[in-house]
Amino acid sequence: MNSTPPQSSASLPETDSASATTDPARTALLDALNELLEAERAGARVAMETGRSITDPELAALVEDIHKDEVRWCSMLMRTIKSLGATPSSATGAFHGKAMAIADLDERLKFLNRGQAWVTRKLQALIPQVDDARARADLTDMLQAHHQNISRVEARYTAPATLEPQTAPQAEASPVPTEPGALIEHILTRFHEVHRQQLPVLIQLAAKVEAVHADHAETPRGLTDLLTSMHCELLAHMEKEETILFPMLARGGSSFVTHPICVMMSEHEEHAHRLALLLTLTLQATPPGNACRTWIQLCTATRRFAEDLQEHIRLENRVLFPQFDKSLTQERPEAVR
C-alpha cells in the first residue's frame, strides 16, 4: 500500500464565514467530498466485516488491501473537508447495508467492486473541478488506487469468461444499428462495458508474463505500464462520451456538438497510436513458440481488445459522428486500420 498522502489544502480560495455558506461552488464541492467520504466509510466496513469470514489467504490479503485503502481515503477526505473549514460527515453510506445483505461471498465482492466503480465515476467528474493542486493530486491518487483494486477483483472473477474464445459465428451477429439512439446504446453495451472488463484482465496477464518471463528475449517489457495508461485514458474518454457528448447526440445534437466531436476524434487518434504500440510490443499479439498458457491468453485477449477498439473507433468516426457534423462525410483516413 502507498504511504499516507500529505494533508490536502483547500480546493477553493478561503472565504469568510458569511460568504462561505452562500458560495455554491464551495457547497457543491463539500457535498461531493462528503458523499465520497460516506461511500468510502461504507466500503471500509464492508471489507473489514467480509474479511473476517475469508479463509483463502490470497483472497483475504486482497480484501485487507481494499480495507486499508478505504480507510486511507476516508482520512484524506476528512482532512480535505476540514481544510475547507467544514465538518466531515459522520454518516456511513447505505452501500454498507446493501452489501452486507448479500450472503454469497463472491457476489458481495462483485457488489463491492461495483461500488468502487461508482467512486471512480464520481472522482472523474469531480477532479477537473478542483483547483488546488495538492487536493487534486490526492483525489487522483485515490482514483488510481480504486482502478487498481477494481482490476485485481475483476481479474479474479472475469478473466476466465473474458478469455474464452468466441465460438458463435460472426454471421449470426445482429446488424449494427445506424439510428443515433440505437447506435449509441450499441456502443455503450458492446464496447464501453466490454473495454471496462477487458483492460483489467490484460493488465493482470501482462504483469504475470513480465514477472515470470523477465529473462525471455521476447518478453513484452513495459506492457503492463502501457496497458495501465491505456486503461486510465480510455476510462476518462468513455466517461466524457457518456456524460457529455452522447446525451447531446441523443437529444438530436446542436451547433455546439462539433467541438466535443472534434475532441473525441483527436483522442481516438491517440488511442490508435497507443494501440499500435501495444501491437508492436506483443509482436502483433503473437506468442512465441514456447509460450506458456498465460502468454497465449495475453495474446488472444490483446488481439480481441485491438479488434474491438478498432471497430469502436470506426463506428463513432465513420457512422455516428458524421450524422451530426456533415464535414465528416468527406473522405478522410481512418484513425485505425
Side-chain angles (χ1 to χ4, degrees), residues 39-333:
E40 290 298 280
R41 188 177 287 126
R45 287 186 58 185
V46 171
M48 178 183 67
E49 295 170 19
T50 300
R52 293 169 180 164
S53 62
I54 297 176
T55 57
D56 176 2
E58 183 178 349
L59 181 57
L62 169 57
V63 174
E64 176 61 18
D65 284 348
I66 293 173
H67 172 248
K68 290 178 180 178
D69 258 3
E70 300 288 85
V71 171
R72 173 192 177 197
W73 301 121
C74 283
S75 298
M76 182 274 288
L77 290 165
M78 286 191 288
R79 287 196 302 271
T80 302
I81 292 167
K82 288 178 180 178
S83 74
L84 288 168
T87 301
S89 170
S90 60
T92 298
F95 178 84
H96 170 259
K98 295 177 181 178
M100 297 310 297
I102 301 173
D104 182 81
L105 175 61
D106 289 336
E107 291 305 314
R108 185 189 301 167
L109 291 177
K110 292 175 185 177
F111 186 73
L112 177 61
N113 225 34
R114 291 198 291 274
Q116 295 227 356
W118 177 89
V119 170
T120 66
R121 292 193 292 273
K122 289 291 183 179
L123 286 168
Q124 287 166 346
L126 177 62
I127 289 171
Q129 303 173 33
V130 177
D131 295 326
D132 181 78
R134 182 173 295 178
R136 189 167 59 249
D138 286 343
L139 293 170
T140 301
D141 286 345
M142 179 179 172
L143 175 62
Q144 295 297 332
H146 277 68
H147 280 319
Q148 291 170 7
N149 286 333
I150 289 169
S151 297
R152 293 174 67 188
V153 176
E154 284 186 344
R156 178 180 178 87
Y157 292 111
T158 66
T162 304
L163 295 171
E164 286 178 0
Q166 297 175 341
T167 56
Q170 188 66 28
E172 294 181 5
S174 301
V176 175
T178 56
E179 187 276 325
L183 178 54
I184 288 171
E185 184 61 29
H186 173 76
I187 290 170
L188 291 173
T189 56
R190 174 61 184 85
F191 297 108
H192 283 211
E193 291 307 314
V194 170
H195 293 331
R196 287 188 170 102
Q197 295 177 21
Q198 288 172 321
L199 279 161
V201 174
L202 280 168
I203 292 168
Q204 187 84 358
L205 291 171
K208 289 181 180 178
V209 169
E210 286 195 76
V212 174
H213 302 287
D215 297 330
H216 195 289
E218 296 181 23
T219 296
R221 295 172 183 82
L223 181 60
T224 306
D225 289 341
L226 174 61
L227 286 167
T228 300
S229 176
M230 292 180 72
H231 187 203
C232 293
E233 292 170 358
L234 196 54
L235 285 174
H237 175 85
M238 295 189 297
E239 184 76 15
K240 284 183 281 189
E241 289 188 332
E242 293 166 8
T243 60
I244 300 173
L245 180 58
F246 286 176
M248 294 175 67
L249 301 185
R251 291 192 296 268
S254 70
S255 59
F256 300 104
V257 301
T258 54
H259 176 67
I261 284 176
C262 181
V263 172
M264 293 300 98
M265 293 186 71
S266 177
E267 291 185 5
H268 286 171
E269 293 179 2
E270 181 59 28
H271 296 326
H273 173 68
R274 295 277 193 173
L275 186 55
L277 292 177
L278 171 63
L279 292 173
T280 298
L281 271 179
T282 58
L283 302 178
Q284 303 303 309
T286 304
N290 59 346
C292 65
R293 181 174 180 271
T294 301
W295 203 332
I296 294 171
Q297 289 177 331
L298 171 63
C299 289
T300 300
T302 296
R303 190 178 308 111
R304 188 170 302 148
F305 168 68
E307 292 170 353
D308 284 345
L309 185 56
Q310 288 170 343
E311 179 62 8
H312 178 184
I313 292 174
R314 188 195 71 81
L315 280 176
E316 291 185 3
N317 284 4
R318 307 289 289 183
V319 181
L320 178 61
F321 294 164
Q323 297 186 56
F324 298 91
D325 184 348
K326 298 306 179 184
S327 68
L328 300 178
T329 58
Q330 301 173 7
E331 188 65 28
R332 55 183 295 140

